[in-house]
Amino acid sequence: METTKSTGKYWLYFVISLIVLVIFCLFAPKFFWVVLPFNFTYFAKGMDLL
C-alpha cells in the first residue's frame, strides 16, 4: 500500500526561496547563486522526487 506524503510545506519553502532568489537577482546579482541550492532542493521535494 502506498502512502501519500504532504508536500505543502515544501512548496511554501520553494515559493519563499523563489522570492528571495528574485530579490537577490535584483539587488545583489553576484550572489544569486547562493539561493539556488535551496530553490532546486525544495522544488524537487515539492514534486516528491527526493
Side-chain angles (χ1 to χ4, degrees):
M1 178 184 296
E2 290 185 32
T3 60
T4 58
K5 252 190 330 187
S6 175
T7 59
K9 69 178 180 178
Y10 295 128
W11 283 112
L12 179 65
Y13 295 154
F14 169 70
V15 170
I16 291 170
S17 69
L18 185 64
I19 292 169
V20 172
L21 180 70
V22 169
I23 290 171
F24 266 62
C25 282
L26 292 174
F27 297 109
K30 290 181 185 177
F31 299 107
F32 87 97
W33 56 269
V34 173
V35 186
L36 285 179
F38 298 103
N39 200 0
F40 290 136
T41 300
Y42 289 126
F43 178 75
K45 284 188 172 259
M47 295 289 289
D48 200 24
L49 298 173
L50 295 178

